[in-house]
Amino acid sequence: MHHTHLYDNPMGEKAPKNVLVHDSPYFKIINFNLKAGQEVPVHSHDIEGQLSVTVIEGNGAFLGADNATLPARAGDVLVADISEPHGFRAETDMRVLVTIAPPI
Amino acid sequence: MHHTHLYDNPMGEKAPKNVLVHDSPYFKIINFNLKAGQEVPVHSHDIEGQLSVTVIEGNGAFLGADNATLPARAGDVLVADISEPHGFRAETDMRVLVTIAPPI
């Protein structure tokens, strides 16, 4: 059992700052911390599995294929196949938690 | 790809209100919404796998074996084996996201 406080993690200066929260055979959990204007560009991996993206703090957009966007506000959860194009952009400073199962 | 806004989910009246966010062969995601004073009592399941508990809003405590407690504030993430005793209690109204892999 272990415990992490995401607000202790640093924000990115020039690029999103990724902090590995947990990695096991069951899932990988990564905290992305973005300053306003930063983004994790749309990408995908041609492998089995799914991911969730939970917005902990701030506002921005989830990014998908063909320039699709969805609002990404604190309390929003996006679930996608790992093989589907996905990304996110910060409009304010934003903290996001990504969970990937199985881990990649 | 699907998208949920946890703040749209109802709070529990007499007991924590659970909303299934996602269920797949990869993971199950459940949103627990607790009014101040409510709790998900300590429990465990004798199976393989792990879970994460992320506090989206509010304050309370993570509960463990032998009456152990850890602070549970917005932005806190607890990771435990499913076989380890775990629970949580709300001190203010609290929204929590639980991810279980593999799903049970």
Side-chain angles (χ1 to χ4, degrees), chain A residues 16-97:
Chain A
K17 176 73 177 172
N18 309 353
V19 178
L20 181 65
V21 173
H22 183 72
D23 196 8
S24 76
Y26 305 109
F27 49 21
K28 181 180 281 190
I29 305 176
I30 307 169
N31 170 220
F32 289 81
N33 300 289
L34 297 85
K35 284 195 176 283
Q38 293 179 349
E39 75 174 42
V40 172
V42 173
H43 64 287
S44 62
H45 306 275
D46 188 20
I47 55 174
E48 280 283 313
Q50 292 182 325
L51 59 92
S52 65
V53 185
T54 302
V55 183
I56 303 299
E57 179 186 30
N59 291 291
F62 297 116
L63 311 177
D66 301 324
N67 299 313
T69 63
L70 280 168
R73 304 159 290 174
D76 278 349
V77 182
L78 180 86
V79 177
D81 291 343
I82 297 171
S83 61
E84 286 179 278
H86 56 273
F88 41 90
R89 181 171 60 227
E91 288 164 12
T92 67
D93 287 3
M94 194 164 75
R95 294 182 191 274
V96 166
L97 198 68

Side-chain angles (χ1 to χ4, degrees), chain A residues 1-7 22 24 26 48-50 52 54 62 71 73-79 84-85 97 101, chain B residues 1-7 22 24 26 29 48-50 52 54 62 71 73-79 84-85 97 101:
Chain A
M1 188 177 277
H2 70 89
H3 181 249
T4 302
H5 186 54
L6 302 181
Y7 289 95
H22 183 72
S24 76
Y26 305 109
E48 280 283 313
Q50 292 182 325
S52 65
T54 302
F62 297 116
R73 304 159 290 174
D76 278 349
V77 182
L78 180 86
V79 177
E84 286 179 278
L97 198 68
Chain B
M1 187 176 278
H2 70 88
H3 182 250
T4 302
H5 186 54
L6 303 181
Y7 288 96
H22 184 71
S24 77
Y26 305 108
I29 305 176
E48 280 282 314
Q50 292 183 324
S52 64
T54 302
F62 297 116
R73 304 158 290 174
D76 277 351
V77 182
L78 181 87
V79 177
E84 286 181 277
L97 197 68

Side-chain angles (χ1 to χ4, degrees), chain B residues 50-104:
Chain B
Q50 292 183 324
L51 59 93
S52 64
V53 184
T54 302
V55 183
I56 303 298
E57 180 187 29
N59 291 291
F62 297 116
L63 311 176
D66 303 323
N67 298 314
T69 63
L70 279 169
R73 304 158 290 174
D76 277 351
V77 182
L78 181 87
V79 177
D81 291 343
I82 297 172
S83 61
E84 286 181 277
H86 56 273
F88 41 89
R89 182 171 59 227
E91 288 164 12
T92 67
D93 288 2
M94 193 163 73
R95 295 182 192 274
V96 165
L97 197 68
V98 175
T99 301
I100 305 164
I104 60 173

